[in-house]
């Protein structure tokens, strides 16, 4: 920081900005008087020649600081954020009495993008009708005769008739259809810089409003460095992000398929069963604790409670292993899998040597500026396992 200050002092001294100046040259003003003596002068506008004559070094000050204003505009353009980001110099002003220059730059981060809002579907009851056989009591009459006397005798039985009856089923129906919406997020930051030409004191202030969800702190020294001839990067402007604001996107990815394919490919000639996604998601840092998962993956032991819970999950996992069982003619039990998993051992079963390999199948968490740089990846560990049946030669 001290070296930066020395650099700034050297630059401004070379430019002649450190020399104190009298507020007005009374002799020059008397020859060509101004209507009023301004306290401040806008250096972004052409100067009145009468002001140049009356105010010592005004033309030199204006030229040098207009050049600096152009430099800072060019530099900010390099680091603008978003597809509609804007920036400009709002104010470049010389205070004649105080012999100070004030520069105010506006940096607006703005990005517009389209989002697809998926359709909302849910199961709803739907009434339907079907024909069923409905039993009902009925009677038939038979004629019976005895000694020439005939009578009708009833015969009771159960008859059936077709009736249309209602029933209810649950069907998936679309509540709201899929739609594409346009979204804009923006934030405006102002860089307020004051430089005292007499004392060389500089006061940089960078203020960002809460124009987006989330708090993005920008480093005021980054733009101050521009005045000293340095070029800041996006990373030096953004110093902290507490959560994902709209101008940042999640670039998260799931490594499950990558790890699974890598394990299978590395054991060519063997029959491999890789743990299901439901098991991997269950055995995650979020559910079991990062320390527990990390300890196992680094070769540590299994706690009694976690071993019990894994055994419970494996009873469900066995239902996914039908293809492995049919290919190897091996029906593994939970105890066998637990033994190989926790003891790092192998079993000879039939014509195969069977072992269990525990692997990390992490979720990779990463945030990126939309159409821009990304922050470093964070790998959230998840416990996966592969059952490998290697033919015995």
């Amino acid at each position: 920081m001290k070296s930066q200050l020395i650099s700034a002092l050297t630059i401004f001294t070379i430019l002649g900005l450190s020399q104190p100046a009298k507020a007005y040259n009374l002799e020059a003003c008397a020859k060509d008087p101004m209507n009023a003596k301004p306290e401040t002068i806008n250096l972004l506008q052409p100067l009145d020649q009468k002001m140049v004559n009356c105010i010592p070094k005004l033309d030199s000050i204006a030229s040098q600081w207009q050049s600096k204003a152009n430099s800072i505009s060019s530099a900010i353009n390099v680091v603008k954020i978003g597809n509609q980001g804007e920036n400009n110099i709002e104010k470049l002003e010389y205070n004649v009495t105080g012999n100070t220059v004030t520069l105010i730059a506006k940096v607006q981060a703005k990005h517009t993008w389209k989002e697809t809002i998926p359709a909302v579907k849910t199961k709803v009851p739907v009434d339907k009708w079907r024909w069923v056989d409905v039993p009902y009591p009925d009677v038939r009459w038979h004629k019976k005769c005895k000694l020439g006397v005939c009578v009708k005798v009833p015969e009771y039985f159960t008859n059936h008739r077709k009736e249309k009856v209602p029933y209810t089923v649950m069907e998936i129906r679309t509540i709201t259809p899929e739609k594409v919406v346009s979204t804009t997020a923006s934030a405006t930051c102002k860089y307020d810089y004051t430089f005292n030409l007499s004392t060389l004191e500089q006061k940089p202030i960078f203020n960002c409003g809460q124009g987006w969800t989330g708090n993005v702190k920008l480093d005021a020294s980054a733009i101050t460095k521009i005045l000293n001839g340095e070029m800041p990067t996006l990373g030096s402007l953004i110093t902290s992000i507490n959560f994902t604001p709209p101008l940042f996107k999640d670039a998260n990815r799931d490594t499950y398929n990558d790890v699974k394919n890598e394990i299978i490919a590395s054991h060519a000639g063997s029959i491999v069963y890789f743990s299901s996604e439901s098991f991997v998601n269950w055995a995650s840092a979020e559910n079991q604790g990062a320390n527990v998962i990390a300890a196992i993956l680094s070769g540590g032991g299994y706690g009694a409670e976690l071993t019990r819970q894994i055994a419970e999950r494996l009873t469900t996992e066995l239902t996914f292993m039908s293809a492995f069982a049919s290919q190897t003619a091996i029906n593994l039990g939970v105890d066998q899998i637990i033994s190989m998993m926790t003891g790092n051992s192998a079993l000879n079963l039939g014509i195969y040597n069977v072992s269990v390999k525990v692997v990390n199948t992490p979720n990779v968490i990463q945030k990126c500026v939309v159409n821009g740089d990304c922050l470093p990846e964070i790998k959230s560990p998840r416990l996966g396992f592969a059952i490998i049946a290697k033919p015995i030669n």
Side-chain angles (χ1 to χ4, degrees):
M1 189 67 185
K2 186 176 181 181
S3 63
Q4 292 177 6
L5 180 58
I6 293 173
S7 174
L9 293 177
T10 303
I11 289 172
F12 291 131
T13 302
I14 292 172
L15 291 176
L17 300 180
S18 61
Q19 301 174 9
K22 296 179 180 179
Y24 296 99
N25 185 326
L26 300 180
E27 183 180 344
C29 289
K31 293 179 180 178
D32 191 5
M34 293 184 289
N35 294 330
K37 294 180 180 179
E39 183 178 347
T40 58
I41 298 173
N42 183 1
L43 299 183
L44 295 177
Q45 298 293 330
L47 298 178
D48 188 317
Q49 188 59 42
K50 292 182 180 181
M51 292 183 184
V52 175
N53 293 337
C54 286
I55 302 173
K57 298 187 180 295
L58 177 60
D59 55 346
S60 175
I61 292 171
S63 174
Q64 292 163 359
W65 281 90
Q66 284 167 357
S67 176
K68 283 182 173 291
N70 292 333
S71 296
I72 197 171
S73 290
S74 300
I76 295 174
N77 275 328
V78 176
V79 296
K80 77 179 180 184
I81 305 172
N83 57 9
Q84 296 179 26
E86 296 178 349
N87 56 78
N88 63 287
I89 303 298
E90 288 195 332
K91 180 179 179 180
L92 182 60
E93 195 171 77
Y94 173 56
N95 184 294
V96 180
T97 305
N99 199 27
T100 58
V101 173
T102 299
L103 183 150
I104 297 179
K106 183 182 75 172
V107 181
Q108 184 185 48
K110 185 176 181 182
H111 196 83
T112 299
W113 70 98
K114 292 190 180 297
E115 285 184 342
T116 299
I117 300 177
V120 176
K121 297 183 179 182
T122 188
K123 286 186 176 181
V124 298
V126 178
D127 292 332
K128 294 192 174 184
W129 298 84
R130 64 186 173 189
W131 291 98
V132 298
D133 287 332
V134 178
Y136 66 93
D138 204 352
V139 61
R140 298 189 189 96
W141 294 91
H142 297 281
K143 190 180 199 181
K144 288 190 176 183
C145 298
K146 189 176 182 180
L147 301 175
V149 178
C150 295
V151 295
K152 288 184 176 180
V153 179
E155 178 188 348
Y156 297 98
F157 69 99
T158 299
N159 204 348
H160 294 80
R161 63 172 175 265
K162 296 287 187 182
E163 286 189 8
K164 194 177 182 182
V165 297
Y167 70 101
T168 302
V169 296
M170 299 300 289
E171 291 186 355
I172 295 178
R173 296 291 173 89
T174 299
I175 305 302
T176 56
E178 180 183 284
K179 61 180 179 180
V180 177
V181 297
S182 180
T183 306
T184 298
S186 65
T188 299
C189 302
K190 282 196 175 182
Y191 173 74
D192 193 330
Y193 178 86
T194 302
F195 186 81
N196 191 308
L197 300 179
S198 301
T199 65
L200 302 182
E201 181 184 7
Q202 53 181 334
K203 294 180 180 179
I205 300 172
F206 209 161
N207 179 38
C208 290
Q210 292 293 308
W212 53 23
T213 303
N215 180 27
V216 177
K217 297 177 182 178
L218 299 178
D219 186 358
S221 65
I223 289 189
T224 304
K225 288 179 181 179
I226 297 172
L227 292 175
N228 296 341
E230 298 179 42
M231 180 67 71
T233 63
L234 179 62
S236 69
L237 281 177
I238 300 176
T239 58
S240 69
I241 305 166
N242 30 0
F243 55 91
T244 307
L247 284 182
F248 286 76
K249 64 181 180 180
D250 286 325
N252 304 340
R253 55 189 176 85
D254 189 333
T255 65
Y256 174 82
N257 287 322
D258 293 338
V259 175
K260 177 181 178 180
N261 293 335
E262 181 182 339
I263 291 292
I264 293 173
S266 64
H267 291 85
S270 299
I271 298 172
V272 178
Y273 172 79
F274 196 80
S275 49
S276 66
E277 287 188 77
S278 60
F279 179 90
V280 168
N281 289 329
W282 171 79
S284 63
E286 290 80 7
N287 292 332
Q288 305 301 327
N291 292 337
V292 173
I293 301 300
I296 294 173
L297 292 171
S298 61
Y302 294 73
E305 176 58 21
L306 180 60
T307 302
R308 185 193 67 78
Q309 292 184 32
I310 290 176
E312 285 186 357
R313 296 292 303 190
L314 286 176
T315 57
T316 302
E317 195 73 11
L318 291 177
T319 62
F320 300 130
M321 295 178 58
S322 58
F324 177 87
S326 63
Q327 287 177 291
T328 60
I330 297 173
N331 290 296
L332 289 171
V334 170
D335 291 342
Q336 291 173 304
I337 299 174
I338 289 287
S339 175
M340 290 185 287
M341 182 183 293
T342 59
N344 195 26
S345 58
L347 297 173
N348 287 332
L349 300 172
I351 62 171
Y352 295 98
N353 177 268
V354 182
S355 61
V356 173
K357 181 180 180 65
V358 176
V359 294
N360 187 16
T361 59
N363 264 327
V364 178
I365 302 167
Q366 189 176 38
K367 299 183 189 302
C368 298
V369 177
V370 176
N371 296 330
D373 298 340
C374 291
L375 298 176
E377 293 181 348
I378 299 173
K379 293 185 177 180
S380 179
R382 296 181 303 178
L383 192 68
F385 68 89
I387 300 176
I388 302 160
K390 183 179 180 180
I392 300 174
N393 295 329

